[in-house]
Amino acid sequence: MFICIIMRDEVVRMRLYRMELYKLCYRKIFIVGAACVTGILLLFFWMKMSEEWAYVDGVVYEGYQAVKVNRKITKEFEGVLTDEKVDAIIEKYGFPEEVRENYWGFYDSNFLNGFVVDYLSDGYLYDWDNYKAATQTYPIAETELGKAAELTGRKIVLEYSNGWFTFLEVLEIGMILGSILLIFGISTIFAREQQTKMLQLLFTSCEGRKKDIYVKIAAAFTVAVGIWLAIVILDFLLCGVVFGLDGQNCFIGATKIMRNIRAVKGLPDLMTVKYFIVVTLLRSLVGILLLCSTTICISACCRSSFHAVAGSAICWGMPLLIWIFLSFMGRSILFRIIRGIILLMVYSSSLYLSMYEAFYDLYRSRWVCWLPLLIAVMVSIVCTIAAYRKYRGQQVV
């Protein structure tokens, strides 16, 4: 008898859970929003892919053709980087010299000789009017790249890595768009019940108030994780098919992700691409869950859908306004302390957790770089509990 009661309760919960998911995911605004997010991500990916170029044998390739050419020529030299490989690259492709506007690199370069110029030669390009064509290469051990390898104890790996930069750029835009979709999708989950006067029915039904709140919260977090997972999978598929997944063992300071490597212990440019991608994905997931918890908390406190959407949007975008305001603060010791505390809270927000560049600013102090994640998790738990208690404690008028 007891087992039958438990099974019946589980069936009821699953039925309510499916109903709540249906109510969230099959609204027109959610379906249209999901289609728009997908379309924008595809367009943005195409734009980032179009920025690629490769100069080989007197021919300049651009876009997808350039990606294929750069991947092909890199296969010949990929693996542990040596001075012999560097010399062979320059012997085969030469030093690039031509500079043109709107090309952030030498126009007559490809992935290989561009890499050599950036990290292993006396050439540089800071701007279209401030550059120097390379004339010689340096032994790897005498460069910052060689010092970084000695400091970390890892080999310098040469692989085509431009795809990971595109992956991070698309992921960042995707998480911002996904956050907007999530706000419109779940911000009315509790407020709508009050606005449509459904509380009378929900709170007097046989399933009762408690089960209804549980399944609403579970459905909201399912939608949040689903949005995050869909964006990540789409991003991986696009970048994997077009750019490939090579370059995971490279220093991020020796890729387009940072384009600057300094052999100083504790700096983020000494992280491998693989490690940085994992950290970025974790931060974005925590950011989405934080947004979900704060949104349902605001929804439980509002009596209309409009107020719930507006309040969630303001809460999500407020850290950006706070960041702008902080730039006008004074420079006394007291102001710096206050500014540091506020900045820590800003970096713990959902918006900044979705930005991979924000991790650079915190990595110098390792305990601080993980503190925003801890704060975000704690806030998520508090907001979820507050949403439950607020909605459950409401009295039907």
Side-chain angles (χ1 to χ4, degrees):
M1 183 66 180
F2 181 70
I3 295 177
C4 292
I5 294 175
I6 293 177
M7 292 179 63
R8 182 173 62 83
D9 288 343
E10 290 300 323
V11 171
V12 170
R13 288 194 183 96
M14 288 303 299
R15 178 166 57 84
L16 291 174
Y17 174 72
R18 289 194 296 268
M19 289 174 58
E20 289 298 333
L21 275 181
Y22 182 86
K23 288 164 62 178
L24 292 175
C25 297
Y26 285 87
R27 296 167 60 205
K28 289 183 179 180
I29 190 171
F30 188 86
I31 296 174
V32 173
C36 291
V37 169
T38 303
I40 293 173
L41 286 182
L42 292 174
L43 177 61
F44 185 74
F45 176 81
W46 177 81
M47 292 172 59
K48 299 303 295 184
M49 182 183 66
S50 300
E51 295 176 359
E52 185 97 358
W53 79 91
Y55 182 89
V56 178
D57 297 330
V59 179
V60 176
Y61 303 89
E62 296 188 0
Y64 180 58
Q65 291 299 322
V67 173
K68 292 199 298 184
V69 169
N70 278 329
R71 290 181 65 183
K72 181 180 178 180
I73 65 176
T74 305
K75 286 292 183 182
E76 180 182 352
F77 298 95
E78 70 178 7
V80 178
L81 187 64
T82 62
D83 291 326
E84 291 73 20
K85 285 186 178 181
V86 173
D87 294 336
I89 289 172
I90 297 304
E91 182 179 354
K92 186 170 185 177
Y93 299 107
F95 287 117
E97 299 176 346
E98 186 178 353
V99 174
R100 292 189 182 183
E101 290 190 5
N102 301 320
Y103 286 85
W104 293 102
F106 289 95
Y107 179 73
D108 54 343
S109 68
N110 52 54
F111 178 79
L112 291 174
N113 59 5
F115 179 88
V116 173
V117 169
D118 288 339
Y119 304 104
L120 301 167
S121 77
D122 61 343
Y124 59 83
L125 193 158
Y126 300 135
D127 201 349
W128 299 317
D129 298 321
N130 184 12
Y131 68 92
K132 175 188 175 183
T135 58
Q136 62 176 330
T137 60
Y138 298 128
I140 295 176
E142 298 179 6
T143 64
E144 290 293 309
L145 196 58
K147 295 176 183 177
E150 181 181 359
L151 183 64
T152 60
R154 296 195 300 265
K155 299 290 186 180
I156 304 172
V157 178
L158 177 62
E159 292 179 344
Y160 179 72
S161 58
N162 286 356
W164 293 113
F165 172 70
T166 301
F167 175 86
L168 291 172
E169 291 283 298
V170 174
L171 180 66
E172 182 171 292
I173 295 298
M175 288 304 148
I176 293 175
L177 295 175
S179 297
I180 297 173
L181 177 63
L182 184 63
I183 290 173
F184 280 97
I186 70 171
S187 59
T188 62
I189 189 169
F190 290 130
R192 183 174 61 245
E193 309 296 359
Q194 301 181 66
Q195 181 174 323
T196 57
K197 307 300 181 182
M198 286 293 293
L199 289 180
Q200 292 90 335
L201 297 176
L202 294 173
F203 288 177
T204 58
S205 64
C206 61
E207 285 81 7
R209 182 186 311 182
K210 187 175 181 180
K211 291 178 183 177
D212 178 66
I213 301 175
Y214 282 154
V215 296
K216 282 181 179 294
I217 293 175
F221 278 102
T222 301
V223 171
V225 174
I227 291 174
W228 176 85
L229 194 60
I231 293 172
V232 171
I233 291 175
L234 177 62
D235 198 1
F236 264 117
L237 287 176
L238 291 174
C239 294
V241 171
V242 175
F243 292 93
L245 301 178
D246 295 332
Q248 298 181 37
N249 297 314
C250 299
F251 295 114
I252 65 169
T255 66
K256 289 179 69 175
I257 297 174
M258 288 194 69
R259 299 189 73 98
N260 180 35
I261 189 162
R262 292 165 291 172
V264 180
K265 189 175 182 180
L267 291 185
D269 47 1
L270 300 186
M271 289 188 293
T272 61
V273 171
K274 183 193 304 182
Y275 177 81
F276 188 70
I277 294 295
V278 171
V279 171
T280 303
L281 290 176
L282 176 61
R283 283 169 50 85
S284 64
L285 176 59
V286 173
I288 285 292
L289 295 179
L290 173 62
L291 178 61
C292 178
S293 62
T294 54
T295 300
I296 63 176
C297 183
I298 293 173
S299 181
C301 297
C302 295
R303 294 187 175 274
S304 72
S305 298
F306 173 78
H307 291 151
V309 173
S312 300
I314 292 173
C315 183
W316 175 70
M318 185 63 69
L320 183 60
L321 299 178
I322 294 175
W323 177 273
I324 297 174
F325 171 75
L326 289 176
S327 62
F328 298 101
M329 291 186 67
R331 299 190 177 277
S332 65
I333 296 178
L334 179 60
F335 275 120
R336 289 182 180 181
I337 294 175
I338 296 175
R339 184 175 184 271
I341 295 174
I342 296 176
L343 274 179
L344 181 60
M345 302 308 297
V346 167
Y347 282 123
S348 304
S349 67
S350 175
L351 179 61
Y352 276 82
L353 285 173
S354 65
M355 299 179 181
Y356 72 91
E357 299 100 328
F359 190 63
Y360 301 158
D361 300 332
L362 300 169
Y363 192 78
R364 294 176 186 270
S365 300
R366 300 213 171 199
W367 69 272
V368 174
C369 76
W370 294 109
L371 194 54
L373 284 181
L374 179 60
I375 294 174
V377 171
M378 293 176 62
V379 172
S380 298
I381 295 173
V382 171
C383 287
T384 303
I385 295 174
Y388 171 82
R389 292 174 64 88
K390 178 67 176 179
Y391 191 65
R392 188 180 183 187
Q394 287 171 352
Q395 298 296 322
V396 180
V397 180

